[in-house]
């Protein structure tokens, strides 16, 4: 993503790349097979470096634990396709839209959904800003991600994407996918509970009791 965005910025071909690699619902509606590749390539493009930085931040914070749990090669193989469901949901809701959608927010949202299911009690260190004051706090992952998910669903329901240019359907669809995949793995894979417990005990920093609910991420 960094390499593609950097090349995009330096080449001055942003419009052409977005037209060719971005996901445009109306084009997918009329010629799905011709534009099938954009369900994956759209995640590699970003509007600017700030857009990329935001997605990379969430990828680093939430993706690193999932990468260690499942292995880097599985993570690398699956990640490019995690945004597909989000783009499809966006297409189902807006099949005639001519506005291209780009960014890895869908793939990252799927990771957030998986993290919420697998590590709901991990402690997230964050900062609350009340200018000119700020305060560092630690909240459980279920509260942080639950709040974020609620914002996405509410924004989608209220149609706020038309005003701020954000494809909230991509976020919501991919989040649901991540939660579903993690829940299926957790309940269907025979050794899932043991592997998850061992991972939490060895990979998360120790914290005051209760032990399971107070690990630091």
């Amino acid at each position: 993503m960094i390499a593609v965005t950097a090349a995009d910025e330096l080449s001055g071909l942003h419009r052409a790349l977005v037209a060719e690699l971005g996901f445009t619902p109306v084009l997918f509606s009329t010629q799905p097979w011709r534009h099938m590749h954009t369900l994956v390539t759209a995640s590699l493009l970003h509007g600017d470096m700030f857009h990329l930085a935001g997605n990379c931040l969430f990828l680093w914070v939430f993706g690193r634990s999932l990468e260690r749990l499942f292995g880097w090669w599985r993570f690398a193989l699956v990640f490019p396709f995690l945004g597909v469901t989000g783009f499809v949901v966006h297409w189902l809701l807006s099949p005639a839209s001519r506005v291209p959608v780009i960014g890895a927010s869908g793939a990252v949202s799927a990771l957030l959904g998986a993290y919420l299911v697998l590590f709901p009690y991990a402690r997230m260190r964050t900062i609350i800003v009340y200018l000119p004051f700020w305060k560092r706090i630690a909240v459980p992952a279920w509260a942080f991600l639950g709040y974020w998910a609620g914002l996405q669903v509410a924004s989608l329901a209220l149609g706020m994407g038309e005003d701020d240019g954000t494809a909230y359907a991509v976020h919501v669809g991919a989040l649901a996918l991540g939660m579903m995949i993690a829940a299926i793995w957790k309940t269907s894979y025979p050794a899932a509970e043991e592997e998850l417990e061992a991972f939490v005990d060895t990979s998360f920093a120790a914290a005051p009791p209760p032990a399971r609910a107070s690990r630091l991420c």
Side-chain angles (χ1 to χ4, degrees):
M1 292 188 302
I2 293 174
V4 171
T5 304
D8 182 9
E9 291 282 335
L10 295 173
S11 67
L13 299 175
H14 182 71
R15 288 180 178 272
L17 288 174
V18 170
E20 181 63 29
L21 302 179
F23 178 74
T24 306
V26 69
L27 297 180
F28 189 74
S29 297
T30 56
Q31 295 179 310
W33 293 111
R34 181 177 178 183
H35 298 279
M36 189 71 68
H37 66 282
T38 63
L39 291 170
V40 176
T41 58
S43 292
L44 301 177
L45 293 171
H46 289 78
D48 52 39
M49 286 297 181
F50 293 103
H51 184 200
L52 173 67
N55 280 332
C56 285
L57 174 62
F58 274 73
L59 174 60
W60 175 67
V61 171
F62 296 99
R64 54 182 179 166
S65 294
L66 295 169
E67 181 189 11
R68 291 200 302 267
L69 175 62
F70 294 108
W72 72 266
W73 64 272
R74 292 189 184 93
F75 189 91
L77 286 175
V78 171
F79 180 75
F81 300 95
L82 291 179
V84 171
T85 297
F87 290 126
V88 170
V89 170
H90 178 75
W91 169 70
L92 290 173
L93 296 178
S94 306
S97 174
R98 296 180 178 275
V99 180
V101 181
I102 58 174
S105 299
V108 173
S109 295
L111 297 181
L112 301 190
Y115 195 100
L116 178 59
V117 171
L118 298 177
F119 310 114
Y121 299 108
R123 305 295 290 183
M124 311 301 303
R125 296 187 185 126
T126 186
I127 297 176
I128 296 180
V129 179
Y130 299 97
L131 294 176
F133 306 104
W134 58 275
K135 181 178 178 60
R136 293 180 62 184
I137 63 171
V139 297
W142 66 262
F144 183 92
L145 293 175
Y147 173 73
W148 181 87
L151 284 180
Q152 308 311 303
V153 174
S155 298
L156 175 61
L158 295 173
M160 295 179 62
E162 297 295 329
D163 298 323
D164 61 17
T166 302
Y168 291 105
V170 176
H171 298 176
V172 174
L175 178 76
L177 172 70
M179 295 179 67
M180 181 180 67
I181 292 176
I184 291 174
W185 177 81
K186 190 175 180 179
T187 56
S188 301
Y189 182 57
E193 289 291 345
E194 292 78 7
E195 288 188 15
L196 189 58
E197 183 175 357
F199 177 83
V200 170
D201 289 340
T202 57
S203 299
F204 285 64
R212 183 64 52 80
S214 303
R215 302 292 182 179
L216 295 178
C217 176

